[in-house]
Amino acid sequence: MKRLSILLLLQLMVIVAWGQYTLEGVITGNGEPLPGASVVIKNTYYGVSSGTEGRFQFKNIKKGEYILAVSFIGYESQEIKVAVPAHEIVTVELKSASIMTDEVLVSATLAGTKTPVAYTNLSGEEIAGRNMGQDIPYLLQLTPSFVTTSDAGTGIGYTNFRVRGTDMNRINITMNGIPLNDAESHGTWFVDQPDLASSLENVQIQRGVGTSSNGAAAFGATINLRTNTLIREPVAEYKTATGSFNTFKNTISASTGLLNDHWAIDARLSKISSDGYVDRAFSDLKSFYLSGGYYSENTIIKGNIISGIEKTYQSWQGVPSVRLNNDMEGMQRYEEHEHFSSEETNQMINSDSRTYNYYTYDNQIDLYQQDHYQLHISHKFNSRLNLNTSLHYTRGKGYYENYKSDEDLEDYQISPLTIGNELQESSDIIYRKWLDNYFYGLTFSLNYQKGNGTFVLGGGWNTYDGDHYGNVIWTEFPGEADFNHEYYRNNGLKKDLNIFGKYNYNLSEVISLFADLQYRQINYELEGIDDDLRNITQAHNFNFFNPKAGVFIKPAVNHEFYLSFSTANREPNRTAYIDANPAYESPVNETLHDWEAGYRYSSSAFTGAVNVYYMSYNNQLILTGEINDTGNPMMVNIDDSYRQGIELQSRLKITPELDWKNNITLSRNKIKNFTEYVDNWDTGEQSVFEHGITDIAFSPGMTANSTITFEPLNKLYLSLISTYVGKQYIDNSSDNERSLDAYFVNNLKADYSISTGLFREITFHLMVNNLLNESYESNAWVYSYILGGQRYKIDGYFPQAGRHFMVGVDLKF
């Protein structure tokens, strides 16, 4: 692994001069210079933006012929052929577009070429090339500081991810500028939108606080998803794939193209199924996407319907470390210490070490449907001013079903039943916990550009209304309880208002300034009883001010520097509130101060980037081991913690046929003074341990990705994809007994495209995952306790599948 680190570091520091010529030009539209136009040399890594006078320049260009791709919002894109050395300045005149295009709809939430933040863009083609049925986090995992995990072990079904060690509950995610995070939990479960990747135009990941956006606070990253934009020509596709663990993926999509110069309709239908690597970890996922739009010279009206339904067998408990390590004494201790019944212990002992699943009940499932309705309206008043507005409505409803043996009837508000002379106070029970919610609101942005400045005024208003309730659907001794007996119900009502202003000003051709001010107001009310029958009625209000500022410097055409400072505030989520100890003060909001500094270099055959960050937290919410009045763990605010690191990226075209793209993150993630609480079963109290400086849980000190792509024949691509994730602690004590080992996983991918008379294009795919059959776990949980003066633990690790494969074919008509 040390060799891997050294190789990556060395190659990331290499800068090669590939030529000695300069190519200069100017971009105009309607006779006026166009500052900020995108100019890309096709089939290279070289791209620039035009300056304040519409001028652009490329240096260190080899002699030869090239194609320049030029684009600017509101104008028709153009490609021109140029020769190097050029004998005169190249002039490109763009024509005003006959219709507006969808790029304007989300421009307010995206980072631009001169925005001083660390970001990565993924095109629709890149996403489609990786899409073999896995969840969206697995399609993004090759970006810097990104770590993924899968409950089922294959990336299909429930997945989780972290960016810079920050969990998904602290990552802001929007789809077409509309919040996607659950308003109460702050999490995003892409399993609820199966195969959404097949309808994505592009994705932008902003690491750190990033730019202002709607919805949940961004503490680790902002992920902006944009669904398909206008497809001008009719097209239809059928994509199918199959592979290990009875995995199947089928997708049908079609577009009308632009009808009568104004109308367009797109549709997709998908189904994904898999047995999963873990025992009984099946997934049955279905979704559709329907979009219709009206386009004119100055106006876009577009509606989207995105619907998904997921049915997954629960594999949420993981595999105990004693089972992974074939520790017979440890497995028997689960019964001795009353964690498992005798039957459950025997089932664990007789299961496979890596695919064991605690759940055996036939219908131990999670079933949820989520429907998204979006209406986007964009209008251009003139060449300088446009307004975007979006209305949205999301409807979600579903449950997970559990079987429990020998449960106290009173815990389910069922009266004990006398049978003969015996009072039955407990029973086997099957229950369903429901989530029935609505999320609706609007977002807007007013965009104004004049001279050297661009101003955006934006914001949103959103309301979440969600019912949580539980029904007992079967019990051995129901007494007077009815079928579907409801034993708890509570409601969460959350209103979220935000407004922001952004200003970009080009001080000169070299220096650009950036300012971003956001105000956010939150009102959150909980009412009712929870599943443990506690009354959780409460109300909370927040007013946050989140300022951001930065500078972007481009001293030469190949070199870019940036520096920024941002503040973000995040309210506690539902779990933090309902698990809080009523004897203590409620948890308070977390605050993050984020410093970012970076450098980017680009040439025709090499790009490289370095980003340094320091993220300082006040009142970060973490698990310390403290419990509430009912014995459940609770999130606790701590005084000081931080993350600091360096992110390195590069891409090198070694030969015209051989491409190497990679990144590496080295970081320190610390709690300055951590106090741990451990349940002491001997005393009935909690023992306290002062640890001093410790590592933040699930924050590896090193992550790295590498993709080497070789094109031996035209349109035949062979890729070796490698991922390394360093050691992670699964609690905040920095104890090696409670950690995840580092892992290094390699995948092999092959893609080959041909054209025929019947099909516009046929593409064949082969993906061999975990090529070297590495045994590793990517996530875990742990509970510690003291008994007989000795410390023990129960835990759950999530093994990932060994070598497995997928094959597929795409047919484009």
Side-chain angles (χ1 to χ4, degrees):
M1 206 53 62
K2 289 182 179 179
R3 292 180 180 177
L4 168 70
S5 306
I6 294 171
L7 280 172
L8 287 171
L9 284 169
L10 284 175
Q11 77 85 25
L12 282 162
M13 296 177 182
V14 174
I15 295 178
V16 183
W18 290 89
Q20 55 183 347
Y21 296 105
T22 297
L23 177 65
E24 296 181 88
V26 61
I27 310 298
T28 60
N30 299 325
E32 298 289 331
L34 290 180
S38 171
V39 187
V40 176
I41 302 178
K42 295 191 70 173
N43 301 317
T44 75
Y45 308 144
Y46 216 169
V48 297
S49 295
S50 57
T52 54
E53 300 298 324
R55 294 185 175 276
F56 68 90
Q57 185 183 78
F58 294 99
K59 288 186 176 181
N60 296 324
I61 304 296
K62 283 184 177 181
K63 183 177 181 180
E65 290 189 343
Y66 298 90
I67 296 177
L68 295 183
V70 184
S71 60
F72 190 75
I73 292 178
Y75 292 82
E76 293 183 2
S77 299
Q78 190 177 146
E79 293 185 356
I80 64 168
K81 185 180 290 186
V82 297
V84 175
H87 300 295
E88 57 186 26
I89 292 177
V90 176
T91 300
V92 183
E93 172 74 15
L94 297 182
K95 297 180 180 179
S96 294
S98 57
I99 58 172
M100 287 183 68
T101 54
D102 301 69
E103 286 83 355
V104 298
L105 293 174
V106 294
S107 58
T109 61
L110 297 179
T113 56
K114 293 185 178 182
T115 307
V117 299
Y119 67 90
T120 300
N121 291 324
L122 290 176
S123 68
E125 290 182 356
E126 291 178 279
I127 296 166
R130 301 177 186 179
N131 184 11
M132 299 287 281
Q134 291 179 310
D135 217 354
I136 282 180
Y138 276 71
L139 308 183
L140 307 182
Q141 67 175 336
L142 298 179
T143 59
S145 307
F146 205 103
V147 177
T148 59
T149 182
S150 165
D151 286 5
T154 59
I156 297 174
Y158 269 92
T159 61
N160 206 325
F161 65 97
R162 298 181 179 88
V163 181
R164 291 183 178 174
T166 302
D167 62 75
M168 69 174 182
N169 299 330
R170 291 174 169 87
I171 294 172
N172 174 274
I173 302 177
T174 60
M175 178 168 59
N176 300 324
I178 293 170
L180 200 56
N181 300 75
D182 179 83
E184 284 196 292
S185 69
H186 301 180
T188 304
W189 289 271
F190 287 107
V191 69
D192 296 336
Q193 301 95 38
D195 202 27
L196 177 61
S198 290
S199 297
L200 291 181
E201 180 72 19
N202 55 50
V203 176
Q204 183 179 87
I205 304 170
Q206 302 170 15
R207 297 183 298 281
V209 172
T211 63
S212 288
S213 190
N214 302 301
F219 262 45
T222 294
I223 300 177
N224 296 285
L225 310 172
R226 185 171 65 163
T227 56
N228 290 338
T229 57
L230 173 64
I231 302 172
R232 291 179 178 268
E233 300 296 328
V235 65
E237 285 188 278
Y238 171 61
K239 299 181 179 181
T240 184
T242 185
S244 303
F245 315 116
N246 287 322
T247 300
F248 295 93
K249 173 183 180 290
N250 287 284
T251 302
I252 300 172
S253 60
S255 174
T256 63
L258 193 61
L259 302 173
N260 296 325
D261 295 326
H262 290 296
W263 301 91
I265 300 174
D266 304 317
R268 171 185 57 80
L269 188 64
S270 299
K271 186 179 189 308
I272 301 171
S273 60
S274 177
D275 289 349
Y277 170 65
V278 174
D279 295 341
R280 299 175 301 282
F282 69 73
S283 298
D284 184 7
L285 315 175
K286 301 169 185 154
S287 69
F288 74 83
Y289 169 86
L290 181 63
S291 177
Y294 170 80
Y295 299 83
S296 70
E297 182 179 358
N298 296 312
T299 303
I300 298 174
I301 303 174
K302 185 172 184 178
N304 296 329
I305 302 175
I306 304 159
S307 177
I309 183 168
E310 60 89 6
K311 181 180 179 181
T312 56
Y313 194 96
Q314 294 174 32
S315 50
W316 302 340
Q317 288 277 43
V319 179
S321 56
V322 292
R323 174 65 279 181
L324 276 174
N325 299 324
N326 293 310
D327 178 0
M328 183 62 68
E329 181 181 349
M331 286 188 279
Q332 291 171 341
R333 191 184 306 121
Y334 266 61
E335 180 181 351
E336 294 168 4
H337 291 186
E338 300 182 353
H339 305 307
F340 281 9
S341 67
S342 175
E343 182 182 357
E344 291 168 338
T345 301
N346 287 332
Q347 190 254 332
M348 173 172 61
I349 290 172
N350 294 318
S351 295
D352 181 85
S353 291
R354 298 193 61 76
T355 64
Y356 161 74
N357 189 348
Y358 168 79
Y359 301 109
T360 57
Y361 166 57
D362 286 343
N363 207 44
Q364 191 87 19
I365 64 167
D366 181 86
L367 180 68
Y368 191 76
Q369 179 171 345
Q370 192 174 78
D371 304 318
H372 298 261
Y373 304 89
Q374 302 178 350
L375 177 64
H376 305 280
I377 302 173
S378 182
H379 181 72
K380 182 172 68 175
F381 297 98
N382 52 52
S383 60
R384 296 175 179 173
L385 181 66
N386 67 73
L387 173 67
N388 304 314
T389 59
S390 298
L391 300 173
H392 67 88
Y393 173 79
T394 300
R395 178 76 173 95
K397 187 174 183 178
Y399 64 86
Y400 65 87
E401 186 170 315
N402 270 359
Y403 168 82
K404 292 284 189 178
S405 63
D406 198 28
E407 291 284 284
D408 289 339
L409 290 171
E410 289 186 349
D411 290 344
Y412 297 86
Q413 299 202 59
I414 299 175
S415 300
L417 177 67
T418 300
I419 300 179
N421 295 322
E422 186 175 353
L423 183 65
Q424 295 292 339
E425 297 182 295
S426 63
S427 173
D428 295 346
I429 280 178
I430 300 174
Y431 62 82
R432 289 176 176 173
K433 290 187 175 181
W434 285 84
L435 175 59
D436 184 356
N437 56 21
Y438 306 82
F439 181 60
Y440 53 90
L442 63 89
T443 63
F444 77 94
S445 64
L446 185 68
N447 308 279
Y448 179 73
Q449 181 175 358
K450 183 178 181 181
N452 294 336
T454 302
F455 177 72
V456 178
L457 176 66
W461 168 83
N462 304 295
T463 295
Y464 172 92
D465 189 349
D467 287 325
H468 304 255
Y469 59 93
N471 297 126
V472 175
I473 65 170
W474 176 87
T475 176
E476 188 177 1
F477 305 111
E480 297 180 358
D482 297 327
F483 173 73
N484 257 2
H485 164 71
E486 184 176 295
Y487 68 99
Y488 78 92
R489 177 181 287 266
N490 62 76
N491 174 265
L493 180 63
K494 187 171 188 178
K495 297 180 180 179
D496 187 336
L497 171 70
N498 81 87
I499 187 167
F500 63 84
K502 299 182 185 182
Y503 188 60
N504 289 270
Y505 182 73
N506 296 318
L507 195 62
S508 67
E509 291 283 353
V510 174
I511 300 176
S512 299
L513 304 178
F514 171 81
D516 181 341
L517 305 177
Q518 183 199 46
Y519 168 74
R520 186 171 176 229
Q521 182 186 67
I522 302 159
N523 174 261
Y524 181 38
E525 298 177 359
L526 283 165
E527 183 176 4
I529 62 171
D530 202 24
D531 58 357
D532 57 6
L533 308 186
R534 288 183 303 124
N535 189 321
I536 58 171
T537 300
Q538 53 192 285
H540 305 276
N541 294 283
F542 296 94
N543 292 277
F544 294 144
F545 176 62
N546 300 314
K548 309 171 184 69
V551 59
F552 177 89
I553 303 172
K554 192 165 187 173
V557 67
N558 302 72
H559 304 275
E560 299 173 354
F561 298 88
Y562 61 86
L563 174 68
S564 67
F565 172 77
S566 306
T567 295
N569 289 278
R570 174 183 178 268
E571 75 280 13
N573 64 11
R574 170 189 165 87
T575 300
Y577 282 130
I578 65 175
D579 287 341
N581 193 328
Y584 300 162
E585 291 185 3
S586 292
V588 300
N589 64 280
E590 305 168 274
T591 300
L592 168 63
H593 301 293
D594 180 22
W595 289 93
E596 306 270 342
Y599 165 74
R600 292 190 285 258
Y601 171 86
S602 60
S603 70
S604 60
F606 176 83
T607 62
V610 179
N611 185 73
V612 180
Y613 63 88
Y614 182 78
M615 305 167 70
S616 175
Y617 299 86
N618 292 329
N619 296 320
Q620 184 176 190
L621 282 163
I622 67 168
L623 290 170
T624 64
E626 289 182 82
I627 58 175
N628 62 17
D629 55 327
T630 59
N632 292 322
M634 60 182 188
M635 302 290 284
V636 177
N637 294 107
I638 59 171
D639 291 335
D640 293 308
S641 54
Y642 68 89
R643 301 180 187 276
Q644 64 181 29
I646 181 170
E647 296 165 325
L648 305 167
Q649 301 177 74
S650 76
R651 189 168 185 177
L652 177 66
K653 187 174 277 294
I654 301 171
T655 69
E657 298 80 20
L658 187 60
D659 176 277
W660 186 13
K661 179 169 61 175
N662 52 70
N663 58 73
I664 183 171
T665 299
L666 304 172
S667 66
R668 286 171 52 88
N669 310 276
K670 300 293 184 179
I671 299 170
K672 292 185 178 180
N673 188 20
F674 178 63
T675 302
E676 182 188 22
Y677 297 80
V678 178
D679 287 354
N680 191 321
W681 290 12
D682 296 327
T683 65
E685 303 290 336
Q686 286 198 300
S687 297
V688 180
F689 299 90
E690 298 287 348
H691 290 284
I693 297 176
T694 62
D695 290 272
I696 302 176
F698 300 106
S699 301
M702 175 180 171
T703 62
N705 297 287
S706 169
T707 302
I708 300 174
T709 301
F710 179 52
E711 187 183 8
L713 302 173
N714 185 38
K715 294 189 176 183
L716 171 61
Y717 298 95
L718 305 175
S719 299
L720 177 63
I721 304 166
S722 305
T723 295
Y724 172 81
V725 176
K727 179 179 178 179
Q728 304 172 69
Y729 295 103
I730 60 179
D731 65 14
N732 294 296
S733 65
S734 293
D735 193 306
N736 291 327
E737 292 295 316
R738 297 180 293 280
S739 65
L740 287 165
D741 292 335
Y743 55 88
F744 180 51
V745 179
N746 295 274
N747 303 324
L748 181 65
K749 194 170 191 306
D751 305 279
Y752 180 56
S753 299
I754 59 174
S755 299
T756 68
L758 179 61
F759 299 102
R760 184 181 302 181
E761 188 174 66
I762 303 177
T763 304
F764 300 94
H765 304 281
L766 169 65
M767 186 78 173
V768 183
N769 295 290
N770 199 353
L771 181 66
L772 302 180
N773 206 30
E774 174 86 356
S775 292
Y776 71 104
E777 298 80 46
S778 58
N779 197 17
W781 60 268
V782 65
Y783 165 73
S784 297
Y785 61 99
I786 296 170
L787 180 62
Q790 186 172 346
R791 183 165 177 167
Y792 296 98
K793 64 178 179 177
I794 57 172
D795 52 26
Y797 285 73
F798 292 84
Q800 304 301 285
R803 186 185 302 112
H804 59 290
F805 71 93
M806 289 288 292
V807 294
V809 60
D810 302 345
L811 306 176
K812 182 178 287 188
F813 301 89

